[in-house]
Amino acid sequence: MSPGLFQTLLVASLALCALGIAWRVAAWFRIRIGPDARSVTAWQRVRGVLATVAASLSGWRGPRVLGAFCLDALLLRRLFANAPWRALAHLFVVTGFTLLVLTHALAPFVTARLVPGYQPTLEPWLFVRNLLGAMVLGGLVVLVVARWRARSRMGLPHRPRAALFATLLGIVLATGFLLEAHKIASPRAFHRMTDAFAGAADPTALASLRALWAREYGVAFDVRTDVVAADVTAAGRRLHEEACATCHAKPASAFVSWPLAKLMAPVAGTLDAVSADAWLLHLHVLACFAGLALLPFTTFLHVLAAPFSLLLDAVARHGAAPARPLPLAARATRRALSVDACVRCGMCDLDCSVATLARHLDNRYLLPSHKLVATREAASPRLRQAMRRDARALADARRAADGAFLCTDCGRCTRHCPVGLDLAELWDAGRDDLEAAGLPAAATWVRERPAIAWAESLANVGDRAVLAVVDASRAPLACDRRTFSRCVQCQTCTNVCPVVAHAMDADPRSAADPGVDLTPQKVMNLLRLGLPDLALGSRMVWDCATCYQCQEQCPEGIRVADIMCELRALSVRRLAAVRDVAEQS
Amino acid sequence: MKYALFLGCKIPSGLPAYATSTRAVLGHLGIELVDLEFQCCGYPARNYDRDAFVVAAIRNLALAECHALDVLTPCMCCFGTLRQAIRMMTEDAALRARVSRSLADDGLVWSGRATVQHVLPLLAREVGVDALKTAVRAPRTDLRLAAQYGCHALRPSDVTGIDNPVAPTIFETLIRAAGATPVDWPRRLDCCGDPSHESNAPLSGRMTRAKIVDAQEAGADAICTACPHCHLRFDAAQAAESAPAMPTLLVTQLLGVAMGLPAQSLGLPHAEDQRADAFP
């Protein structure tokens, strides 16, 4: 590769990387998740975060914050607690890669300046380079396998760009090892060097030098074209000491490339003939540049986002005693940062309290890793536009809302997140966004119209397939006359109902709480009359506190509260089917 | 005695003191608690999908069964929910078949061997008042407490069965065992309002407030709770007030203090702060 092209590509990929990072980092301060985030500007957020971090680091609790940050971000304490093998692999990749960049990629600027007489082909660099490369490659393999297993087990979202980036990293390492192995075995490389440094040497000494290099340095000479002496003579050894030894150590310590070179020996001449070294070098360098340019646009941006998230986490948890919530500027930034800091490792999903529900309801949005992406989308005005245009986007957004509101806020995802996301706080903000986007919990959207309007919609839609059959297995009590036909309308249920009692103080003009529409006894009567649809959207059904007073006191032993629960489950399904019909009419 | 401890979702996130105080008190009484990989009891899904609700609930019981343990929970709502799920499984064969198929995917089997117990009846009956009185070192005779039973502990009584649903005494017995005095408050069996909070916050607020006022009028120093939902609802209703009119106290904290256990293990502030802060 010509130096000009190399420089152009290097500058281009560096520029892309820098611009990409700037664009993505700006989003951490610009994206607004949660209605309260709208009250702070991006600039206020930048200043707020800086002030919060600076204040906590400079205070007397600073060392604690810093200590927690170092343990979490550099030593991956949280990951070690959950998945020690992955943590070890991750440490290998990060340490190996960073040191390779410093000692190998930036060798002219770093190693050569720090170590006088640096040559990449001397010890310890042959060994160190192999060690670092093996660390990265080994760690990468462990992480990819772990990721693949987690993905097939939990259906984590697929990320083609991240896969591409990991492939590029693999290419960089593979070509590095292959190039080194090829150079060890290559007769042409040997000739190039002897032409330059031992051009005037005696042919017999050169033949002896070849014998030495074939034996101890792994060069795979072709005996048909190269004269290789039978023995290493003193002259050959002297020539080696004069021309080679100052720059070359025996490559056997390159424990990956050396065996590779042995494997490649039979084809060393062929590889020379096709200029394999140039191809490998180009591939190696181009993969590096491509990776550099791609970095900001993949989840590998977490190399910046995750430490930032862990820093804010350390500040939130150790910055004050007793711990208090971060200021809104920092919280809003933390929310926006979440999607970039998340590596979709799936640890939150694995330990999610509603994982069984997610699987049974076939709704992936109950799982934190999917909900995270949906939360960021729900905050975007684009979602609202898409919902209006596209029925599928609307259905998907509603499933996301179901997931968000069925979450139990147990906080396990937050406790297990290796990058320190405050997911519990994010879910709260996300639910507010969903409500603002017209996607509230079932208990809210059902109440948006009176029971009679819902019943009319259901009647108008009539016997459409979706509504034709009330699924008796979903609501066996509400669908079985025998459970409620004994009702004598004595009103005991109504008399003991706290919802009815406290509705006396409700404000009939208020939209949220206008009082009771149907009493429990009336709900039972509608069931007796075969008019369950009239009860489905009623406030009584949805206000019911399931205190079971009605059921306990019913002289006929009717399971009133159990029926109320079934009616809710029924109404979620049936009213959802006519939700849009009702809104259009 | 050995139980699988089912904390549910609310306690670890909102009321960790209930977990620590339960462990401290039961540990002190020689009851071994085991932590299993439990998930949500299913409660939130009940309004959404009956099958999903039962699968979620029964999965936990099948897991306990797998370890040959009975389940103990400090949460009334988890308790009621798990027991409801057992009832549904028992009376609906088609449901049982569907749920069993779903559990089989996880290699789990439910046969109904694992029972569900709540901390209140465990303390009052299995441990027994005599054993508790022996363990009490520092009876809190200064306290007058309003026992908050929690609906899902008492009703429906054919499912929960912990005490007489219209005239329960079990909670008052425990309060007396700790040396304190239970007050007689007319609304003691009423709902705290928490389950209605999501659908109708003003209504829920009135329900909570009525109970707080009632406890005050009965001369209680605090409401004694045995459910995280009730406990946190009372706290939330008074969050805006600088000094809550009616503090809340967990039954396990009360017993722990009476047994002389360290305040920190009960999730209470240090002894010197007790008067001023959470402990009444």
Side-chain angles (χ1 to χ4, degrees):
Chain A
M1 188 182 288
S2 74
L5 182 62
F6 180 89
Q7 280 197 346
T8 314
L9 286 176
L10 175 63
V11 170
S13 52
L14 272 176
L16 257 177
C17 182
L19 283 174
I21 287 177
W23 182 62
R24 296 284 298 264
V25 170
W28 300 346
F29 299 95
R30 222 186 49 235
I31 288 181
R32 291 163 176 181
I33 298 177
D36 53 349
R38 274 172 229 147
S39 62
V40 276
T41 64
W43 182 232
Q44 283 172 326
R45 269 159 70 169
V46 174
R47 280 187 310 181
V49 167
L50 289 177
T52 309
V53 172
S56 84
L57 285 180
S58 59
W60 65 277
R61 299 186 64 87
R64 263 191 97 137
V65 174
L66 205 60
F69 169 71
C70 290
L71 278 174
D72 286 340
L74 302 179
L75 297 177
L76 311 175
R77 173 173 57 177
R78 288 154 158 263
L79 194 57
F80 267 109
N82 288 315
W85 282 107
R86 268 203 256 184
L88 203 60
H90 191 285
L91 268 188
F92 269 38
V93 171
V94 172
T95 321
F97 193 80
T98 312
L99 290 176
L100 268 181
V101 168
L102 288 174
T103 61
H104 171 64
L106 299 176
F109 311 103
V110 183
T111 340
R113 289 200 187 159
L114 293 177
V115 186
Y118 163 80
Q119 286 294 337
T121 43
L122 279 177
E123 290 300 353
W125 310 112
L126 279 166
F127 171 73
V128 164
R129 211 164 40 241
N130 273 254
L131 179 69
L132 298 176
M135 279 168 70
V136 178
L137 200 59
L140 191 66
V141 168
V142 170
L143 291 177
V144 167
V145 169
R147 163 85 198 159
W148 177 77
R149 281 176 52 184
R151 215 168 86 74
S152 49
R153 189 167 157 198
M154 296 179 293
L156 295 175
H158 180 48
R159 299 162 304 148
R161 272 178 299 171
L164 176 63
F165 188 89
T167 312
L168 284 173
L169 194 56
I171 291 176
V172 170
L173 291 157
T175 51
F177 280 127
L178 285 171
L179 183 60
E180 190 174 52
H182 173 61
K183 279 187 164 175
I184 290 172
S186 163
R188 192 197 273 178
F190 179 86
H191 294 312
R192 198 169 54 234
M193 295 302 280
T194 46
D195 287 351
F197 294 98
D202 167 44
T204 49
L206 260 179
S208 172
L209 183 69
R210 286 192 202 109
L212 175 72
W213 273 69
R215 237 174 258 173
E216 295 178 10
Y217 287 79
V219 182
F221 291 106
D222 186 344
V223 285
R224 284 168 303 183
T225 52
D226 287 318
V227 182
V228 180
D231 287 312
V232 182
T233 62
R237 207 164 275 286
R238 208 178 314 118
L239 182 57
H240 170 77
E241 294 298 332
E242 284 166 7
C244 318
T246 44
C247 294
H248 287 277
K250 285 180 195 169
S253 65
F255 59 91
V256 180
S257 308
W258 177 251
L260 260 181
K262 292 283 172 207
L263 282 176
M264 288 158 72
V267 290
T270 323
L271 289 173
D272 270 346
V274 297
S275 306
D277 54 345
W279 286 106
L280 286 169
L281 182 64
H282 276 87
L283 210 54
H284 188 68
V285 170
L286 288 178
C288 285
F289 289 168
L292 194 60
L294 194 65
L295 175 83
F297 307 99
T298 67
T299 43
F300 283 81
L301 187 71
H302 79 269
V303 296
L304 293 179
F308 188 21
S309 163
L310 287 166
L311 177 64
L312 291 177
D313 183 58
V315 170
R317 294 200 297 159
H318 303 289
R324 58 166 178 262
L326 293 174
L328 180 60
R331 273 185 291 132
T333 308
R334 215 173 165 194
R335 292 175 201 158
L337 171 73
S338 308
V339 177
D340 288 346
C342 171
V343 289
R344 321 284 190 276
C345 69
M347 267 165 215
C348 47
D349 294 359
L350 205 58
D351 200 36
C352 176
S353 280
V354 291
T356 301
L357 285 177
R359 206 178 48 197
H360 202 86
L361 296 169
D362 195 22
N363 185 347
R364 63 202 163 100
Y365 291 120
L366 273 163
L367 296 174
S369 74
H370 293 272
K371 195 159 62 162
L372 179 67
V373 180
T375 302
R376 178 142 143 181
E377 277 167 16
S380 149
R382 269 178 310 194
L383 178 77
R384 266 159 263 188
Q385 290 157 11
M387 273 162 45
R388 273 195 292 275
R389 271 199 314 272
D390 179 2
R392 266 176 53 197
L394 179 63
D396 202 49
R398 282 183 181 159
R399 285 182 75 70
D402 282 347
F405 288 104
L406 276 173
C407 164
T408 63
D409 285 326
C410 70
R412 282 194 205 171
C413 46
T414 306
R415 282 195 292 280
H416 287 288
C417 180
V419 295
L421 301 182
D422 189 354
L423 293 167
E425 208 264 344
L426 182 69
W427 305 150
D428 257 349
R431 280 188 288 256
D432 292 343
D433 273 340
L434 285 166
E435 276 173 359
L439 297 162
T444 307
W445 66 255
V446 166
R447 297 160 62 91
E448 279 166 6
R449 53 195 59 238
I452 188 76
W454 284 115
E456 275 169 12
S457 304
L458 286 168
N460 290 340
V461 172
D463 51 9
R464 271 199 196 172
V466 64
L467 299 174
V469 185
V470 171
D471 190 350
S473 75
R474 292 182 185 285
L477 298 175
C479 297
D480 184 353
R481 293 198 63 79
R482 285 170 299 179
T483 33
F484 48 77
S485 58
R486 294 188 307 277
C487 175
V488 291
Q489 294 288 297
C490 69
Q491 299 200 39
T492 302
C493 48
T494 299
N495 291 338
V496 296
C497 178
V499 173
V500 174
H502 288 283
M504 306 299 177
D505 307 319
D507 176 4
R509 289 159 302 179
S510 125
D513 177 35
V516 170
D517 43 6
L518 301 171
T519 57
Q521 156 244 335
K522 283 181 184 162
V523 173
M524 291 304 113
N525 202 31
L526 286 172
L527 291 181
R528 290 196 325 157
L529 295 169
L531 299 167
D533 283 356
L534 272 166
L536 287 188
S538 75
R539 287 196 298 278
M540 182 65 233
V541 166
W542 284 90
D543 279 348
C544 168
T546 64
C547 74
Y548 281 97
Q549 287 284 14
C550 49
Q551 185 156 330
E552 195 64 49
Q553 313 282 348
C554 177
E556 291 292 332
I558 295 169
R559 288 158 69 176
V560 186
D562 282 339
I563 292 175
M564 291 289 187
C565 287
E566 289 190 0
L567 287 176
R568 289 189 212 178
L570 214 56
S571 92
V572 165
R573 208 154 282 269
R574 280 167 68 76
L575 303 190
V578 294
R579 197 168 160 191
D580 301 316
V581 180
E583 273 164 20
Q584 280 157 19
S585 62
Chain B
M1 265 183 280
K2 191 171 169 183
Y3 282 97
L5 182 64
F6 188 93
L7 290 175
C9 297
K10 203 78 180 171
I11 293 173
S13 63
L15 196 58
Y18 201 6
T20 53
S21 59
T22 298
R23 287 182 204 276
V25 167
L26 297 189
H28 186 74
L29 294 168
I31 296 163
E32 198 183 332
L33 298 175
V34 180
D35 290 294
L36 299 180
E37 288 184 2
F38 287 129
Q39 290 182 6
C40 165
C41 69
Y43 183 67
R46 200 174 171 199
N47 296 338
Y48 193 85
D49 185 298
R50 183 168 175 265
D51 274 26
F53 155 65
V54 181
V55 168
I58 295 297
R59 180 199 166 275
N60 294 310
L61 302 183
L63 190 66
E65 203 173 305
C66 195
H67 291 83
L69 289 169
D70 288 329
V71 173
L72 173 74
T73 175
C75 174
M76 288 293 183
C77 292
C78 293
F79 172 76
T81 301
L82 294 172
R83 288 243 172 143
Q84 280 281 357
I86 294 175
R87 174 196 228 178
M88 291 180 184
M89 287 288 275
T90 317
E91 60 184 23
D92 188 339
L95 173 78
R96 195 162 58 239
R98 291 196 298 273
V99 172
S100 300
R101 266 201 303 281
S102 182
L103 291 178
D105 293 346
D106 280 347
L108 290 171
V109 178
W110 177 83
S111 67
R113 243 178 299 144
T115 60
V116 180
Q117 182 63 296
H118 186 271
V119 168
L120 273 191
L122 174 86
L123 287 169
R125 304 236 173 79
E126 291 183 38
V127 173
V129 177
D130 293 338
L132 283 177
K133 279 184 176 158
T134 319
V136 166
R137 302 262 159 74
R140 293 299 306 239
T141 45
D142 53 330
L143 283 177
R144 291 170 53 79
L145 297 172
Q148 162 65 13
Y149 271 89
C151 300
H152 297 150
L154 292 172
R155 301 179 292 267
S157 55
D158 51 350
V159 168
T160 62
I162 74 162
D163 205 348
N164 182 331
V166 289
T169 54
I170 175 171
F171 207 148
E172 280 81 2
T173 312
L174 289 176
I175 289 175
R176 279 193 200 97
T181 313
V183 301
D184 191 11
W185 57 316
R187 287 197 185 272
R188 72 179 180 133
L189 304 184
D190 282 11
C191 174
C192 67
D194 187 75
S196 298
H197 187 73
E198 191 190 270
S199 57
N200 191 338
L203 168 74
S204 160
R206 287 197 299 276
M207 289 161 81
T208 315
R209 181 58 55 187
K211 290 205 70 151
I212 291 171
V213 169
D214 194 41
Q216 259 177 314
E217 285 170 359
D221 298 316
I223 297 179
C224 194
T225 61
C227 174
H229 291 270
C230 305
H231 188 97
L232 293 170
R233 183 50 51 206
F234 289 127
D235 287 353
Q238 305 176 86
E241 299 159 27
S242 54
M246 190 47 60
T248 44
L249 179 67
L250 290 161
V251 66
T252 43
Q253 289 177 328
L254 169 70
L255 287 169
V257 168
M259 288 172 185
L261 303 180
Q264 213 169 1
S265 77
L266 304 171
L268 286 167
H270 288 293
E272 61 266 27
D273 310 333
Q274 273 181 25
R275 201 167 302 259
D277 214 330
F279 200 78

